[in-house]
Amino acid sequence: KNSAVTATPIPVGAYIVTTKDPLLSCDSNSKIKSILPSGSCMEVDATRIEFEENEEMMKCAFCGREAMYHTVAVRALIVSGGYVTLFVVSVGVSGTHGSLCACGRMVQQTYAEPVPLGTYRITHPTLLTLGSGHKTPVIMQLEENMFVSVVETRVEDGCVRGRVDIDVSDAYGTDGVDDTSRRKESVSGWVSLFEPPSFSWAELISNVATK
């Protein structure tokens, strides 16, 4: 029986640091440029794969077994400057040709995860703007319980911003009478999603765009 192998691209855009320890951003000479606390956000501009020369002790997140692995690291160039490690994955166990844990799972250590694309519900009134910056022209105000489709993310002044598409229904006229002959239109712009560590303007409803 043949098993299909699939791969998905590593997204750019806004990421959240998910490790308990701070994530270090370093330049090409391994000099520290910045320290990113757990839960903070950053914008990834590009990614690259690096094969590690030395073996690394890694722990399986599923069964807890530890072993020495040959690894591949995915590193990212961030907009604020420097490179960070997004995740490290096993490619081979010392003394064997396999890359899986004894439990059959791939071993991976993740340090930051992308902000999901997909459908969000507005939880606090906010503004839809023309550009990703907060001070760009305002298109309209988004009210609580409106739904938006986030297709791209960025980080502006510590705030995660999303480029969204909104289906604007003109099904009801100004007289309140249902008029199905009116067509639906789409509006696009940028909206604030959340600002770590605690405040948010929207919540994820359906993560479909990154699958």
Side-chain angles (χ1 to χ4, degrees), residues 161-194:
R161 303 267 291 167
R163 183 167 66 85
V164 302
D165 293 327
I166 306 173
D167 289 329
V168 180
S169 176
D170 286 331
Y172 292 91
T174 56
D175 55 1
V177 178
D178 188 4
D179 182 2
T180 55
S181 65
R182 298 174 181 265
R183 67 176 184 177
K184 293 184 178 181
E185 297 180 350
S186 178
V187 175
S188 298
W190 290 83
V191 65
S192 295
L193 298 178
F194 59 91

Side-chain angles (χ1 to χ4, degrees), residues 47-143:
T47 60
R48 69 185 188 192
I49 295 176
E50 295 182 4
F51 289 89
E52 304 289 354
E53 295 181 0
N54 300 321
E55 294 176 335
E56 180 177 346
M57 177 67 72
M58 297 181 68
K59 183 177 181 179
C60 178
F62 295 94
C63 70
R65 291 185 178 91
E66 292 184 335
M68 297 295 293
Y69 292 90
H70 298 287
T71 60
V72 167
V74 174
R75 306 200 195 279
L77 173 65
I78 60 176
V79 172
S80 58
Y83 289 88
V84 300
T85 301
L86 298 180
F87 61 88
V88 177
V89 64
S90 62
V91 292
V93 183
S94 180
T96 73
H97 296 290
S99 61
L100 304 179
C101 175
C103 70
R105 305 272 190 167
M106 180 171 288
V107 182
Q108 178 173 315
Q109 292 181 349
T110 302
Y111 302 100
E113 296 183 357
V115 174
L117 307 181
T119 301
Y120 282 71
R121 182 179 70 86
I122 301 300
T123 56
H124 290 87
T126 186
L127 298 177
L128 181 73
T129 62
L130 187 63
S132 60
H134 295 279
K135 297 181 179 181
T136 57
V138 174
I139 298 174
M140 62 182 292
Q141 178 164 312
L142 303 183
E143 301 296 342

